Amino acid sequence: MADHFVLPPDGSKPFTDYSKWRLDANDGGRHVWKYVDSEQQATYDEPQSALEKYWLGLPTGCAESSVAEDALSAARKAFHFYKNLQAQDGHWPGEYGGPMFLIPGLVIGSYVSEMDFREEERRELIRYLFNRAHKEDGGWGLHVEGPSTVFGTALNYVALRLLGVPAEHPVTSKARKTLHRLGGATGAPAWGKFWLSILNVYDWDGNNPVPPELWLLPEWLPIHPHRWWIHTRNVYIPMSYLYAHRFQAPENALILALRKELYIDDYDQIDWPAQRNNVAAVDLYAPHTTLLNVLFGVLSTYEACSMPPLRRVSLKKVYRLIVQEDENTAYQTLGPVSKMMNLVCRYHAEGTESFAWKEHYKKRWDFMWMGADGMMMCGTNGSQLWDIAFMSQALVESGLAEEKAFQDNAIRCLHWLDQCQIQDNPKHFKVAYRHPTKGAWPFSTKEQGYTVSDCTGEGLKAVLYLQEHLSYTPKLVSQRRLYDAVDIILGMQNIDGGFASYELIRGPKFLELINPAEVFGNIMIEYNYPECTTSAVTALSIFKKHYPNYRRHDIERVTRKAVEYIKAAQNPNGAWYGSWGICFTYASQFALESLSLVGETYATSDHVRRACDFLVSKQRSDGGWGESWRSCEEEVWVEHEQTQVVQTAWATMALMYAQYPHRGPIERAMKMVMDRQLPDGSWAQEAIEGMFNKTCAIAYPNFKFSFTIWMLGKGHSYLQHLT
Ligand code: LAN
């Protein structure tokens, strides 16, 4: 097959036969796309499902009907469509793309570890990068909607070359021009420099030190890495291992060619140490502080004189942490960056015949998603729990779950949520610096196995709604397990009342001064987030309604303090700044849900009134809201060119939590969302929905179903009760 494939000039048409892709999604929510070849035909002679067709961008053949008459009918029509996208096991699979620095890790990490791709995967990875290259300049940014950067362009260029695209192809030629205009790969930020060094197309001397010895510091020290934000430390653990070994792929013709292509200057003439702090202006978000530069200076001196015994001990320690992380997560690891770095470390230490190499090989698939534009690498192994939790609540709150046609769907939601709850602490627990997990829900799957505060909150809410508010569902999640979830949540409140993402805040704020990543903000420690805080406390208070006796006083105390934190976190503009979705619209929905718990509404609370007035002031003439991802970066409201269905749903939910007394804005918003509904009941994909670390956008395509259905269903009865 590889022999007949002539690389097309662009990615407008599929590079494989799309009717042959099948999704395996019924193994605890694991997502694996497979290509049916002749030997497998027997296993796959079932026709493609609507679910598969939808995500591949093929016509689904689902029924179409005329415009819905009222909001509830629109919600019903939407769910009639959306239930076709539910996997047999109950969850809604989906793409989780957006960041543009993940395919390079996948491709470079695989290349240097002697891991191949299937031919169809290779082609569609290429096609995805072709399709994501910016029309104007041929480069790539930090994420799909961001302008071309050195990080995005240099690394995705390398990925294409490793995947077999020649340097003279129109796509690579155009990208290379942009890379050179931006100054060449010497201006890549630290993580870019790192991947290029691994591949041996950038000199290790051009990197700031990443010493594994940090792990030998006493644990009580405020800067000890176990106190860092979990994603940052899990990236720096394998990074320090590979840095200490100065791991690099053996030179070959392709590597030598890349050394010529990536730079403006002659590779052998580059002054590498001078490149350590060279980051292109378009890439830079969080410049080094003086403190960090001084620290790097000291560490560089240490590197120069190197102390082998200390290095040996610390390497042992970081390698142990890598193995423990792999084993705790069944070789998924916490995220996509650590996934590929851990994989390279295991390859370096144990080779291609090891169990670890083979498991890592298989688990790459969990991050690879086939879409209409080709194959991408996702931000995690999916957003399974997060999506099903919102959808379950939407089903119950809209009243749709009571309808005969949808009861089976609701029961399947509950089954999935039941199996997803983590019932034990990690295998390697305290030694791996892990937070307890017993009773928690994770963001994606149980196998990945990390506690997230708000995922536990939304998971618990979803189970309570399904088990307690519906007459026909079995009580799959026992009282004991609900208590375990409550214990987890109660244990995650920080002293000032807020909730962070995966753990308690472990380190001091000044650690942010040594953020070495340059392209992300707020990554060194955990922070409180209004979104996480809301999911946690709203879950507690719904739980308390059904189980009034369990840890009642703790729940009341925690709720009070959380609400105080929420109030204190309100932005002067009246809204709340959101870190995980875009942006003021997203977080204000959550914050107002928190305030509604303690009876603070538009009529009674100044906080709520200011928030509503702000939101209403941003409603556009078509009834919708439209906020750009740039709000997160700039920390002020930035309008989007178009209004967005998902944000309109969030803003309207916010107004309803606030018991906003005027029907006009709510009615107009609902009408806008209904007007955009397509004949099959779905909504078209609009702008990207999610964010992280201030600068990077990430896709939540299932939100255009869950939040619209929720808002239309809730809005329908809200307006009926408004006098
Ligand atoms: C996510 C996705 C989900 C998200 C929410 C649950 C929405 C949030 O409320 C808490 C934080 C969390 C779990 C989160 C943290 C950071 C993640 C894992 C991501 C945004 C998905 C991808 C991102 C990860 C850090 C990407 C890799 C990049 C690095 C900087 C390591």
Side-chain angles (χ1 to χ4, degrees):
M1 168 187 270
D3 313 332
H4 325 294
F5 184 60
V6 181
L7 200 56
D10 62 39
S12 53
K13 294 210 181 64
F15 294 179
T16 58
D17 179 351
Y18 260 46
S19 70
K20 292 194 171 171
W21 286 98
R22 294 289 184 283
L23 177 67
D24 262 359
N26 291 310
D27 174 12
R30 254 195 101 192
H31 296 160
V32 180
W33 282 96
K34 292 193 173 142
Y35 196 75
V36 187
D37 48 36
S38 42
E39 305 100 79
Q40 288 171 313
Q41 202 67 55
T43 349
Y44 287 99
D45 38 44
E46 280 193 16
Q48 257 172 341
S49 63
L51 158 65
E52 289 160 329
K53 288 183 185 159
Y54 178 79
W55 290 106
L56 292 167
L58 304 172
T60 57
C62 291
E64 301 195 346
S65 59
S66 52
V67 179
E69 270 166 24
D70 56 39
L72 186 61
S73 315
R76 185 180 300 117
K77 177 171 166 174
F79 195 72
H80 263 299
F81 175 85
Y82 194 47
K83 69 185 220 171
N84 295 311
L85 307 189
Q86 188 177 22
Q88 248 334 297
D89 73 358
H91 81 289
W92 277 271
E95 91 162 62
Y96 195 39
M100 284 308 293
F101 55 95
L102 301 180
I103 288 181
L106 174 72
V107 173
I108 296 174
S110 298
Y111 186 82
V112 304
S113 310
E114 301 179 59
M115 279 188 194
D116 54 3
F117 293 101
R118 300 185 54 170
E119 173 59 19
E120 299 79 16
E121 292 165 353
R122 183 184 76 87
R123 287 187 196 175
E124 292 297 341
L125 282 165
I126 294 176
R127 181 161 158 266
Y128 183 77
L129 292 180
F130 279 16
N131 282 324
R132 289 285 82 81
H134 292 312
K135 291 273 169 304
E136 323 75 60
D137 64 6
W140 298 267
L142 182 67
H143 57 92
V144 286
E145 295 194 5
S148 300
T149 59
V150 174
F151 194 20
T153 307
L155 273 96
N156 287 302
Y157 178 89
V158 167
L160 280 179
R161 296 282 287 116
L162 297 181
L163 288 166
V165 182
E168 11 358 298
H169 188 279
V171 173
T172 35
S173 307
K174 191 168 170 189
R176 196 167 56 246
K177 245 204 214 127
T178 289
L179 177 60
H180 288 188
R181 180 178 53 79
L182 295 174
T186 43
W191 293 13
K193 290 174 166 35
F194 170 83
W195 277 120
L196 297 176
S197 306
I198 292 287
L199 184 62
N200 203 356
V201 298
Y202 184 98
D203 199 290
W204 273 114
D205 269 348
N207 289 265
N208 279 310
V210 196
E213 284 84 350
L214 285 179
W215 285 95
L216 301 181
L217 295 172
E219 283 172 16
W220 53 261
L221 263 190
I223 64 158
H224 188 281
H226 88 274
R227 299 176 187 280
W228 300 2
W229 187 44
I230 193 163
H231 275 283
T232 304
R233 74 171 185 263
N234 270 309
V235 165
Y236 279 88
I237 290 168
M239 218 184 219
S240 71
Y241 175 93
L242 296 167
Y243 172 81
H245 283 289
R246 305 293 195 274
F247 174 98
Q248 54 188 21
E251 257 176 41
N252 61 25
L254 180 54
I255 286 172
L256 293 177
L258 280 170
R259 288 185 187 170
K260 289 214 173 75
E261 294 160 28
L262 291 171
Y263 304 97
I264 298 173
D265 301 317
D266 185 5
Y267 189 81
D268 299 312
Q269 303 300 313
I270 294 173
D271 175 359
W272 291 105
Q275 306 309 321
R276 290 182 188 181
N277 296 333
N278 170 16
V279 181
V282 272
D283 288 68
L284 195 58
Y285 178 74
H288 292 184
T289 57
T290 317
L291 177 68
L292 180 62
N293 283 335
V294 169
L295 201 69
F296 278 147
V298 175
L299 290 172
S300 300
T301 318
Y302 171 80
E303 276 304 316
C305 54
S306 123
M307 291 162 76
L310 265 191
R311 181 122 306 180
R312 222 172 305 126
V313 180
S314 57
L315 272 175
K316 247 199 175 140
K317 163 108 187 183
V318 295
Y319 193 69
R320 197 162 57 232
L321 289 172
I322 290 164
V323 173
Q324 287 168 343
E325 166 69 355
D326 282 349
E327 292 181 358
N328 275 342
T329 60
Y331 298 82
Q332 312 258 6
T333 86
L334 172 65
V337 178
S338 54
K339 159 74 188 169
M340 292 311 299
M341 290 185 183
N342 275 20
L343 181 157
V344 180
C345 297
R346 300 303 296 269
Y347 163 79
H348 174 262
E350 301 177 39
T352 57
E353 289 306 310
S354 62
F355 178 76
W357 189 93
K358 289 174 189 156
E359 286 304 297
H360 264 301
Y361 183 97
K362 286 190 228 151
K363 290 298 167 66
R364 284 182 315 172
W365 280 315
D366 298 47
F367 292 87
M368 291 157 68
W369 181 266
M370 247 327 268
D373 289 337
M375 183 163 247
M376 69 199 84
M377 169 114 175
C378 296
T380 56
N381 59 328
S383 52
Q384 293 85 331
L385 178 282
W386 198 234
D387 285 323
I388 197 176
F390 290 127
M391 195 56 231
S392 302
Q393 295 175 65
L395 266 182
V396 176
E397 278 221 312
S398 62
L400 292 175
E402 293 291 1
E403 300 184 8
K404 264 264 162 325
F406 304 138
Q407 294 189 355
D408 170 58
N409 304 91
I411 290 176
R412 274 153 62 205
C413 287
L414 183 55
H415 276 280
W416 199 88
L417 288 158
D418 169 43
Q419 66 74 39
C420 184
Q421 188 183 21
I422 308 170
Q423 297 195 37
D424 293 298
N425 285 323
K427 176 176 170 205
H428 308 286
F429 184 22
K430 298 264 159 71
V431 284
Y433 305 98
R434 289 287 304 265
H435 191 86
T437 50
K438 183 169 193 249
W441 273 275
F443 175 68
S444 55
T445 59
K446 182 181 182 176
E447 184 175 73
Q448 189 258 6
Y450 271 92
T451 298
V452 186
S453 65
D454 53 0
C455 298
T456 306
E458 299 298 340
L460 177 59
K461 273 155 82 178
V463 167
L464 289 169
Y465 276 34
L466 290 163
Q467 289 194 172
E468 306 289 340
H469 296 197
L470 301 175
S471 53
Y472 58 86
T473 41
K475 300 228 171 186
L476 296 179
V477 181
S478 66
Q479 184 171 311
R480 181 66 253 161
R481 283 169 55 199
L482 296 173
Y483 290 178
D484 288 344
V486 168
D487 291 347
I488 283 280
I489 295 175
L490 288 172
M492 291 189 85
Q493 186 172 44
N494 290 302
I495 15 182
D496 52 356
F499 286 74
S501 59
Y502 295 80
E503 297 170 337
L504 288 164
I505 299 172
R506 296 181 180 183
K509 281 218 167 60
F510 73 74
L511 270 177
E512 208 56 49
L513 297 175
I514 59 164
N515 169 6
E518 296 139 357
V519 294
F520 301 118
N522 280 10
I523 63 160
M524 288 307 292
I525 54 166
E526 279 280 11
Y527 293 90
N528 290 317
Y529 298 104
E531 304 99 300
C532 299
T533 306
T534 295
S535 299
V537 289
T538 51
L540 291 178
S541 89
I542 289 162
F543 168 84
K544 196 178 74 168
K545 282 198 196 117
H546 299 289
Y547 299 87
N549 299 325
Y550 187 68
R551 297 188 67 180
R552 185 191 181 96
H553 295 298
D554 292 334
I555 292 177
E556 284 167 359
R557 178 180 40 82
V558 163
T559 308
R560 244 190 339 266
K561 275 176 62 191
V563 169
E564 276 166 33
Y565 156 77
I566 295 273
K567 287 184 181 172
Q570 188 168 21
N571 195 276
N573 69 11
W576 278 264
Y577 174 84
S579 298
W580 307 110
I582 301 168
C583 169
F584 291 102
T585 324
Y586 181 70
S588 299
Q589 173 205 219
F590 284 92
L592 290 178
E593 188 185 354
S594 271
L595 295 183
S596 77
L597 284 185
V598 287
E600 298 220 8
T601 65
Y602 192 82
T604 61
S605 157
D606 185 46
H607 290 278
V608 177
R609 204 167 318 124
R610 284 199 296 129
C612 291
D613 291 346
F614 175 83
L615 285 174
V616 170
S617 79
K618 298 294 179 193
Q619 189 174 27
R620 306 244 285 256
S621 56
D622 67 356
W625 278 261
E627 189 184 2
S628 160
W629 60 268
R630 289 197 182 273
S631 287
C632 291
E633 206 169 74
E634 294 172 23
E635 302 185 19
V636 290
W637 177 283
V638 182
E639 238 3 268
H640 198 283
E641 304 85 67
Q642 278 102 31
T643 49
Q644 305 290 323
V645 161
V646 172
Q647 290 173 355
T648 303
W650 290 337
T652 312
M653 294 283 283
L655 294 178
M656 292 192 284
Y657 286 126
Q659 295 183 32
Y660 190 68
H662 312 297
R663 53 195 305 139
I666 297 176
E667 226 162 33
R668 286 191 292 126
M670 287 165 61
K671 179 160 184 321
M672 176 275 194
V673 171
M674 287 167 66
D675 285 347
R676 292 219 188 148
Q677 189 170 31
L678 301 174
D680 64 6
S682 71
W683 282 270
Q685 180 61 41
E686 300 178 335
I688 202 157
E689 303 84 358
M691 281 303 284
F692 61 91
N693 302 149
K694 303 260 176 200
T695 53
C696 193
I698 189 156
Y700 291 89
N702 278 311
F703 281 2
K704 65 180 173 290
F705 295 101
S706 51
F707 284 103
T708 46
I709 292 175
W710 200 347
M711 168 272 215
L712 289 172
K714 202 175 156 93
H716 187 78
S717 49
Y718 188 85
L719 290 182
Q720 281 177 348
H721 293 114
L722 207 64
T723 44

